[in-house]
Amino acid sequence: MSDWIPAVETEFDAFFKNYCQVVNKYTTGQSPVWTHIPADAITELNGAYAAWYNAWSKLKTPHTSADVLAKDEALAAGKGVLRDFNNEFILYSRFVTDAQRKEIGSPVHDTTHTPVPAPKDQPEADITYPGRHLIELDHIRSVTGGTDDPRADWGVRIHYGILDPANMGARHRIASPPATGEDLPHSVFTHKKKYRFDFDGDSGKTVYFCLKYENEKGGEKGEGPFGPIMQAIIP
């Protein structure tokens, strides 16, 4: 699918600009047509185009080899964002029509019905600490390094719980360390490769996480196996 993005830079710029304009058209206004795309994903897409255009524009005037390198990096980053965005929100989404895919410049998937497999991979993530009482699960990925069908690992459900047996009436509490993800009663779902939690008021407590992939199979939820249990001290 790599050839759906133009290789010639002038064509790539026009393509990328149109792609962003179509996304913005269908995701803004009082009654947006597309409501399945998170705002931060749209911001990332538009930011990638702005970075590309600014770097590319510098080459139209006297420039340095560093400017050329910056342009090449922005080009590679822009293509990566386009591919990830398209695979996640456009190509396989039931909320996007084939006419809209053609308008945006996306490939149109095969109309022959092929079943979406249930996820088989187990997800894991890096735990980072961006600030006080903040924990971020970053670089969410498959333990085995990938999947054969990108539709299978459509999104990730993050199960979590704060160990605090003396205050079970408080939010997100668990009474004992979990043996499996099923022991973590609270969860959030994301399409992104990172997710930030704000545990304000719970600094010093231990929080546990366990992830699993989820997708949609003909309107039904397909679930994969839980990944490893992870834990952290809330800063």
Side-chain angles (χ1 to χ4, degrees):
M1 196 182 295
S2 59
D3 58 353
W4 65 278
I5 298 177
V8 179
E9 290 180 356
T10 53
E11 296 176 1
F12 172 74
D13 179 70
F15 175 87
F16 203 169
K17 181 179 180 180
N18 175 74
Y19 194 103
C20 291
Q21 289 175 337
V22 173
V23 169
N24 292 332
K25 179 178 75 171
Y26 285 124
T27 58
T28 58
Q30 292 184 344
S31 300
V33 177
W34 294 343
T35 58
H36 67 291
I37 305 177
D40 58 347
I42 298 171
T43 298
E44 182 183 23
L45 178 72
N46 288 320
Y49 174 72
W52 148 253
Y53 183 79
N54 291 337
W56 181 56
S57 296
K58 287 185 178 180
L59 303 192
K60 299 178 182 179
T61 57
H63 54 272
T64 67
S65 58
D67 293 328
V68 176
L69 177 60
K71 180 270 297 181
D72 291 341
E73 292 176 344
L75 175 64
K79 288 183 176 180
V81 170
L82 275 169
R83 290 192 179 96
D84 289 346
F85 188 98
N86 205 69
N87 285 338
E88 192 162 2
F89 304 116
I90 304 298
L91 182 59
Y92 301 114
S93 174
R94 61 188 175 90
F95 303 108
V96 180
T97 67
D98 282 347
Q100 292 166 346
R101 291 184 181 95
K102 292 179 180 178
E103 180 182 5
I104 205 172
S106 167
V108 176
H109 55 68
D110 191 350
T111 56
T112 303
H113 176 71
T114 54
V116 178
K120 295 180 180 179
D121 290 349
Q122 296 173 291
E124 62 180 356
D126 298 327
I127 297 177
T128 62
Y129 306 90
R132 184 155 178 82
H133 59 73
L134 300 178
I135 289 182
E136 187 166 277
L137 299 188
D138 197 9
H139 190 207
I140 297 174
R141 60 197 181 275
S142 167
V143 171
T144 60
T147 178
D148 292 333
D149 190 334
R151 297 173 300 167
D153 295 354
W154 181 70
V156 173
R157 182 163 297 279
I158 304 171
H159 289 250
Y160 65 100
I162 298 172
L163 183 61
D164 191 6
N167 295 284
M168 287 301 293
R171 293 190 308 159
H172 315 315
R173 274 15 186 207
I174 55 175
S176 59
T180 171
E182 295 289 354
D183 296 333
L184 297 170
H186 314 286
S187 70
V188 292
F189 180 84
T190 181
H191 290 288
K192 302 294 290 181
K193 302 303 182 184
K194 65 173 61 178
Y195 194 91
R196 179 173 295 189
F197 291 87
D198 185 346
F199 295 119
D200 191 11
D202 289 317
S203 294
K205 295 182 174 65
T206 299
V207 59
Y208 291 87
F209 302 97
C210 195
L211 288 60
K212 66 178 176 180
Y213 286 116
E214 286 186 2
N215 63 22
E216 288 187 350
K217 304 194 312 175
E220 298 180 357
K221 185 170 68 174
E223 300 181 356
F226 278 111
I229 293 175
M230 303 174 292
Q231 70 180 77
I233 304 297
I234 300 171

